[in-house]
Amino acid sequence: MNEEINFEKNFVQLKELLKNNEINEFRESFLNHHLYDQSRFFLSLDPVERLEFYNLMSPKEIADIFDLFDSDDIDINPFVDEMSKEYLGEIFDSIYSDNAADLLANLEPETMKEILDSMDAEESTEVKRILHYDDETAGAIMTTEFVSIVANQTVRSAMTVLKAQAEEAETIYYVYVIDSQNRLLGVISLRALITSHDDTLISDIYNDHIIKLDVNEDQEKIAQYFRDYDLLAIPVVDTDNKLIGIVTVDDIIDVIDEEAASDYSGLAGVDTEDVSQNPWQAASKRLPWLIALLFLGMGTASLINHFDSLVSKASILAVFISLITGTAGNAGTQSLAVAVRRLAIRDEDKKNSLMTMILSELITGLITGLVTGITIFIVVSIWKHNMILGIAVGTAMFCAITVANLAGSLIPILMEKLGFDPAVASGPFISTMSDLTSVFIYFNIASLFIHYFN
Amino acid sequence: MNEEINFEKNFVQLKELLKNNEINEFRESFLNHHLYDQSRFFLSLDPVERLEFYNLMSPKEIADIFDLFDSDDIDINPFVDEMSKEYLGEIFDSIYSDNAADLLANLEPETMKEILDSMDAEESTEVKRILHYDDETAGAIMTTEFVSIVANQTVRSAMTVLKAQAEEAETIYYVYVIDSQNRLLGVISLRALITSHDDTLISDIYNDHIIKLDVNEDQEKIAQYFRDYDLLAIPVVDTDNKLIGIVTVDDIIDVIDEEAASDYSGLAGVDTEDVSQNPWQAASKRLPWLIALLFLGMGTASLINHFDSLVSKASILAVFISLITGTAGNAGTQSLAVAVRRLAIRDEDKKNSLMTMILSELITGLITGLVTGITIFIVVSIWKHNMILGIAVGTAMFCAITVANLAGSLIPILMEKLGFDPAVASGPFISTMSDLTSVFIYFNIASLFIHYFN
């Protein structure tokens, strides 16, 4: 997009205006940009430029920029340190409550408290309430800025309420219908409002078949509702069915990204999202896993050591160690990835679906093991002119793959049963585990045939 | 959500009404449900029930259900076979053009042509145009049902246009401003429209700093714009800046899911999305990869075979084969996953970022290799009371990890340079490749020290 490239060039021009303190020219040009581009400009400023910038902007305008920041990506501590607590209070008053809670949660407790104290009482209560909910639940990602109306009024009066709240609300495209106790009755879209006659009663046209979220609903499940129902926002209710917030689609896109990234990182055994780090930091993140797996791998080494006399007698056995462990590891990784995905999209109502999954993976393991085993039997028999060796290697391959397949599906299921996210079961872990069982199987089978190898 | 469970129970009741041909009761109860639930009910019907269902519903009502289907998940062929071409034509007239194109593209060419011929001329032209664009581009996922207005009119007249088009448009929350040549000038949100005075001129209030997509823009890039700018829809223009469609946020959620699933599948070396398949199908999907990697693994086996005399002399060497190949494979998988993510989010303007990536991964490999190498040196020296063996294994480990890290980042970069999706480079492939190099390094280093091992 050429817009974008032009904007990069505009940075220089904007910075010039800022430096020369050309207030009106700067503000006109700057505010004409999309908020995301404004935020990129802001992030490109050095501390001196930022102080000039704060002078030219209102707290509300800075709040709009902060609203785009995600605490996972951007550390606002340097900016917070540059501003007075009063100014910060005004900024945080204008940030949507879900984003304000996210940003505040990543500051020092002391700083967070000071900012909350400087905020408007009503706003800070809402933010505190969100801070209170568990991470990754509806309560933690919802915003409290939405439009609600009572049912016994006309479209005309509802539109008046909506216009009055339009400035504050995160979305005005869904209007929630509540009773006098703030209990959620239904929803009406702005599309329906503007296409209805002004004198129509809301009670006659609102949709009472509403999709809603419990405040403790897990964010992965919420993402599923957005996928299924193609909604722009979903209301959040407490145990009394009182409307306390809404989750909007833009927040859910971030959730979907996060979940996908964490599944991917889990499979690889490394946090792939933290890509800005330097090699030292990267190494320090990867080493714990590598060293832990190294010690697990020492188990395999001890096992081979245990069969040392076998290898001394027939050094040909060493030739197939890495082939069998490698292939079983590959099969286990495939099985693991499929199991993790199945668990994620599984219909939880179906009680016996876990058994079906395990059984299905066992059969898949048997089939792939059989085909791979026969293949390697043929290859080894021809290569080494030794069918007995072929049978030993082929049988070991068959057993090792079947076991690896089963382990690949059992381990994530086990993790879920134990209350962990099954996606953290990593490919490297499965491969290393499977090395151990494969070697065990291989040498036990080989020891049966040892007299035919030399 | 209790709604959902209740709805499952309602299935039985609804089917009863359908069976007894209680037209009004059925329609009232059915149409009161959310479209996604309607679609689930529809999918639960058997062929006989479906024929009764078609009798009670209008083509438009069936179109609303079809609009939720994604051809990747649902095969509409059985439904298409049950209906007359005229009825189908009416249904497809009412489906949003992007979804219609998606569903039609997965029918037999003959059937597709018949349906297109039965459709309204204007609608079928739009669908044909979308069918024409490359998969995974803006053109292929855009819809042509949007609201556009000219700039020289008031808010009042714009609202009249909008209300008239509200029924047809996929979203009415953004209204696009065009000139007399249909060239895109800017955008105005419905929020801005309803909070502006009726007599205000559109030309005074629309936003001309617009984010737009070229019709050939790749869908992964489009997803990035939605993430960055938090928009509900983005307009699509042709090379003359003429407005030809919009991409909406619900379509992009599907794209983000698809991309994440394909990255995940790539890393595992298996298509993890096709989870409905039976064990035979699953095995037939996984075997090609496993067998291909088995033959690559045969390279490693031949290499060990080549060093047979070394193993005969010192069977202790066999003990560390799987430890070194396994650990290097784990390091390579980590490096691969990080490289794939970095390539996906890389700023393409930065010319030398590839070089930086490779260099950074090399240094990370050196550090992790050094730490792991020293660890295994200590372990082996103590365990085997043989420092020379410790040095050999430690050095081999250090070299093997460094090479695996480098390969893990080079292979996806190479794939991208060759025009492939770097995400298809799989963990199992890297592990198997790395087995080969690790064994090569290990035995060459071991052969230098062979006289000290017994």
Side-chain angles (χ1 to χ4, degrees):
Chain A
M1 275 190 335
N2 26 19
E3 291 276 336
E4 200 177 331
I5 295 156
N6 289 339
F7 184 67
E8 300 280 354
K9 284 181 192 153
N10 284 352
F11 273 18
V12 183
Q13 225 170 312
L14 273 171
K15 284 195 185 177
E16 200 62 31
L17 293 172
L18 182 63
K19 196 176 159 194
N20 301 335
N21 209 20
E22 312 223 29
I23 308 183
N24 293 334
E25 291 84 346
F26 174 79
R27 286 179 51 84
E28 195 186 339
S29 167
F30 179 75
L31 293 172
N32 198 21
H33 285 101
H34 193 285
L35 280 172
Y36 174 68
D37 297 322
Q38 291 184 18
S39 76
R40 283 164 62 213
F41 175 76
F42 174 74
L43 291 173
S44 78
L45 298 177
D46 64 35
V48 177
E49 290 167 335
R50 281 205 296 272
L51 293 182
E52 286 161 355
F53 179 80
Y54 301 141
N55 278 332
L56 303 191
M57 310 304 288
S58 73
K60 171 82 181 78
E61 285 156 356
I62 292 178
D64 288 342
I65 294 175
F66 275 34
D67 244 327
L68 288 185
F69 292 166
D70 184 321
S71 65
D72 289 341
D73 303 327
I74 290 161
D75 177 17
I76 65 160
N77 273 298
F79 316 141
V80 166
D81 293 342
E82 292 161 356
M83 299 185 229
S84 72
K85 294 298 168 287
E86 291 67 38
Y87 195 72
L88 281 167
E90 283 190 65
I91 290 177
F92 276 87
D93 281 344
S94 298
I95 300 179
Y96 291 121
S97 47
D98 54 341
N99 299 330
D102 172 56
L103 292 174
L104 286 172
N106 282 277
L107 298 176
E108 294 296 312
E110 188 62 23
T111 317
M112 176 166 88
K113 197 184 164 303
E114 281 175 9
I115 295 176
L116 283 168
D117 289 346
S118 313
M119 284 172 69
D120 180 82
E122 198 187 324
E123 294 288 339
S124 77
T125 309
E126 280 179 7
V127 172
K128 280 178 198 160
R129 192 163 61 164
I130 294 176
L131 280 168
H132 189 74
Y133 293 113
D134 284 345
D135 251 19
E136 314 203 337
T137 63
I141 57 173
M142 74 182 183
T143 175
T144 52
E145 286 92 353
F146 53 85
V147 184
S148 60
I149 56 174
V150 290
N152 60 346
Q153 61 181 316
T154 61
V155 167
R156 184 186 295 107
S157 72
M159 284 298 287
T160 311
V161 174
L162 186 139
K163 285 176 193 175
Q165 297 187 24
E167 180 72 21
E168 291 259 303
E170 186 158 348
T171 183
I172 59 163
Y173 300 134
Y174 295 142
V175 176
Y176 298 97
V177 182
I178 51 174
D179 68 10
S180 58
Q181 306 293 306
N182 199 28
R183 282 186 296 244
L184 181 64
L185 299 174
V187 65
I188 183 162
S189 69
L190 180 53
R191 185 196 288 244
L193 279 178
I194 66 162
T195 53
S196 297
H197 194 278
D198 277 355
D199 293 322
T200 312
L201 278 172
I202 296 296
S203 52
D204 290 339
I205 53 170
Y206 79 83
N207 182 351
D208 60 356
H209 231 96
I210 192 165
I211 306 296
K212 59 192 174 188
L213 302 169
D214 181 83
V215 67
N216 295 313
E217 188 80 78
D218 179 77
Q219 64 176 11
E220 195 158 5
K221 200 75 199 278
I222 301 174
Q224 196 58 49
Y225 288 125
F226 274 92
R227 285 189 192 100
D228 288 343
Y229 291 90
D230 283 1
L231 296 164
L232 300 179
I234 305 185
V236 180
V237 295
D238 65 13
T239 45
D240 296 329
N241 193 33
K242 288 190 180 163
L243 179 62
I244 54 176
I246 60 169
V247 175
T248 52
V249 68
D250 54 304
D251 296 325
I252 278 305
I253 288 186
D254 298 338
V255 167
I256 292 174
D257 274 342
E258 261 176 46
E259 298 279 348
S262 100
D263 285 4
Y264 189 79
S265 296
L267 191 62
V270 61
D271 178 4
T272 54
E273 289 314 283
D274 205 353
V275 288
S276 55
Q277 56 202 199
N278 65 41
W280 285 98
Q281 290 168 321
S284 70
K285 291 258 172 118
R286 296 185 205 177
L287 273 168
W289 246 123
L290 278 183
I291 300 287
L293 293 175
L294 182 75
F295 281 96
L296 187 56
M298 279 304 298
T300 311
S302 315
L303 196 63
I304 302 178
N305 189 54
H306 176 76
F307 288 102
D308 190 38
S309 62
L310 215 60
V311 180
S312 302
K313 273 184 231 156
S315 61
I316 185 76
L317 288 179
V319 170
F320 300 102
I321 294 177
S322 76
L323 189 67
I324 291 174
T325 57
T327 308
N330 293 342
T333 304
Q334 290 182 330
S335 159
L336 169 76
V338 170
V340 168
R341 288 303 303 154
R342 284 202 191 179
L343 285 173
I345 62 172
R346 175 172 57 110
D347 192 342
E348 283 174 36
D349 298 340
K350 292 189 186 150
K351 286 283 173 295
N352 54 4
S353 68
L354 281 187
M355 229 21 245
T356 317
M357 256 181 73
I358 296 171
L359 197 68
S360 151
E361 205 51 49
L362 176 63
I363 299 173
T364 308
L366 288 168
I367 300 170
T368 48
L370 198 66
V371 175
T372 314
I374 291 173
T375 309
I376 196 67
F377 158 71
I378 296 171
V379 171
V380 171
S381 301
I382 295 173
W383 182 32
K384 289 287 163 191
H385 306 290
N386 187 337
M387 273 185 64
I388 306 287
L389 183 65
I391 290 172
V393 174
T395 312
M397 185 70 92
F398 165 71
C399 298
I401 287 178
T402 307
V403 170
N405 260 51
L406 208 54
S409 63
L410 281 176
I411 288 173
I413 290 175
L414 201 70
M415 299 198 77
E416 199 187 50
K417 286 276 171 210
L418 294 173
F420 296 106
D421 178 358
V424 305
S426 85
F429 176 67
I430 290 285
S431 308
T432 310
M433 276 288 290
S434 139
D435 284 356
L436 191 68
T437 56
S438 304
V439 163
F440 182 79
I441 291 167
Y442 175 51
F443 279 109
N444 274 295
I445 290 177
S447 63
L448 300 178
F449 297 93
I450 184 72
H451 302 300
Y452 302 94
F453 293 161
N454 278 321
Chain B
M1 270 187 342
N2 26 18
E3 291 276 338
E4 201 176 328
I5 294 157
N6 289 339
F7 183 68
E8 300 282 354
K9 285 181 192 153
N10 285 349
F11 273 19
V12 184
Q13 225 172 310
L14 273 171
K15 282 194 187 177
E16 201 60 34
L17 292 172
L18 181 64
K19 198 176 159 193
N20 300 335
N21 208 21
E22 312 221 32
I23 309 185
N24 293 335
E25 291 85 345
F26 175 80
R27 285 179 51 83
E28 195 187 335
S29 168
F30 180 76
L31 292 173
N32 198 21
H33 285 100
H34 194 284
L35 280 172
Y36 174 67
D37 296 322
Q38 292 184 19
S39 76
R40 282 164 64 212
F41 176 76
F42 174 74
L43 291 174
S44 79
L45 299 177
D46 63 35
V48 176
E49 290 168 336
R50 280 204 299 270
L51 292 182
E52 288 161 354
F53 180 79
Y54 300 142
N55 278 332
L56 304 190
M57 310 304 288
S58 73
K60 171 82 178 77
E61 286 156 355
I62 291 177
D64 287 343
I65 294 174
F66 275 33
D67 242 327
L68 287 185
F69 293 166
D70 185 319
S71 65
D72 288 341
D73 304 326
I74 290 160
D75 176 18
I76 63 161
N77 273 298
F79 318 140
V80 165
D81 293 342
E82 292 161 357
M83 300 184 229
S84 73
K85 294 296 167 289
E86 291 67 36
Y87 195 73
L88 281 166
E90 282 189 66
I91 290 177
F92 276 88
D93 280 343
S94 296
I95 300 179
Y96 291 121
S97 47
D98 53 342
N99 299 330
D102 173 55
L103 293 174
L104 286 172
N106 283 276
L107 299 176
E108 294 295 312
E110 187 62 24
T111 318
M112 175 167 93
K113 198 184 163 302
E114 280 173 10
I115 296 175
L116 283 168
D117 289 347
S118 313
M119 284 172 70
D120 180 85
E122 199 185 322
E123 295 288 340
S124 76
T125 309
E126 279 179 9
V127 172
K128 280 178 197 160
R129 191 161 63 164
I130 293 176
L131 281 168
H132 187 75
Y133 292 113
D134 284 343
D135 252 17
E136 314 203 336
T137 63
I141 56 174
M142 72 184 184
T143 176
T144 52
E145 285 93 352
F146 52 85
V147 184
S148 61
I149 56 175
V150 291
N152 60 346
Q153 60 182 317
T154 60
V155 166
R156 184 186 296 108
S157 70
M159 283 299 285
T160 312
V161 174
L162 186 141
K163 284 176 192 176
Q165 297 188 24
E167 180 73 21
E168 291 260 303
E170 185 156 350
T171 183
I172 60 163
Y173 301 135
Y174 294 143
V175 176
Y176 297 98
V177 182
I178 52 173
D179 68 10
S180 57
Q181 306 294 305
N182 199 29
R183 280 185 297 245
L184 181 63
L185 298 175
V187 66
I188 184 161
S189 68
L190 178 53
R191 185 195 288 243
L193 279 179
I194 66 161
T195 53
S196 296
H197 193 278
D198 277 356
D199 293 321
T200 311
L201 277 172
I202 296 297
S203 52
D204 289 339
I205 54 170
Y206 78 84
N207 182 351
D208 60 355
H209 231 95
I210 192 163
I211 308 296
K212 59 192 173 186
L213 302 169
D214 181 85
V215 68
N216 295 314
E217 189 80 76
D218 179 78
Q219 65 175 12
E220 195 158 4
K221 199 75 196 273
I222 301 173
Q224 196 57 49
Y225 288 125
F226 274 92
R227 285 188 193 101
D228 288 343
Y229 289 92
D230 283 0
L231 295 165
L232 302 179
I234 305 185
V236 180
V237 294
D238 66 13
T239 44
D240 296 331
N241 194 32
K242 288 189 178 163
L243 179 61
I244 54 176
I246 61 170
V247 175
T248 52
V249 69
D250 54 303
D251 296 326
I252 278 305
I253 288 186
D254 298 338
V255 167
I256 292 174
D257 275 343
E258 262 175 47
E259 298 279 347
S262 100
D263 284 4
Y264 189 79
S265 297
L267 191 61
V270 61
D271 178 4
T272 55
E273 290 314 283
D274 207 351
V275 287
S276 56
Q277 57 202 200
N278 64 42
W280 285 98
Q281 290 168 322
S284 71
K285 290 259 173 117
R286 295 186 206 176
L287 273 168
W289 246 124
L290 277 183
I291 300 287
L293 292 175
L294 182 77
F295 281 96
L296 187 56
M298 280 304 298
T300 311
S302 316
L303 195 63
I304 303 179
N305 190 54
H306 176 77
F307 287 102
D308 190 38
S309 62
L310 214 59
V311 180
S312 302
K313 272 183 232 157
S315 60
I316 186 75
L317 287 179
V319 170
F320 300 102
I321 293 177
S322 75
L323 190 67
I324 291 175
T325 57
T327 308
N330 293 342
T333 304
Q334 291 182 329
S335 159
L336 168 76
V338 170
V340 167
R341 288 302 305 153
R342 282 202 193 181
L343 285 173
I345 61 172
R346 175 171 57 109
D347 192 342
E348 283 175 35
D349 298 341
K350 289 187 186 153
K351 285 285 174 293
N352 54 3
S353 68
L354 281 187
M355 230 19 246
T356 318
M357 259 180 72
I358 297 171
L359 197 67
S360 153
E361 205 51 48
L362 176 64
I363 299 172
T364 309
L366 287 168
I367 301 168
T368 49
L370 198 64
V371 175
T372 315
I374 290 173
T375 309
I376 197 65
F377 157 72
I378 295 170
V379 172
V380 171
S381 302
I382 295 173
W383 181 33
K384 290 288 163 191
H385 305 292
N386 188 337
M387 274 186 63
I388 304 287
L389 182 65
I391 291 173
V393 174
T395 312
M397 186 69 96
F398 166 71
C399 297
I401 288 179
T402 307
V403 170
N405 261 50
L406 208 54
S409 63
L410 281 177
I411 288 174
I413 290 175
L414 200 69
M415 298 198 76
E416 198 187 52
K417 287 274 173 212
L418 294 174
F420 297 106
D421 179 358
V424 304
S426 84
F429 176 68
I430 291 284
S431 307
T432 310
M433 275 289 290
S434 141
D435 284 355
L436 191 69
T437 55
S438 302
V439 163
F440 182 78
I441 292 168
Y442 175 51
F443 279 108
N444 274 294
I445 290 177
S447 64
L448 299 177
F449 295 94
I450 186 69
H451 301 300
Y452 301 94
F453 292 160
N454 278 323

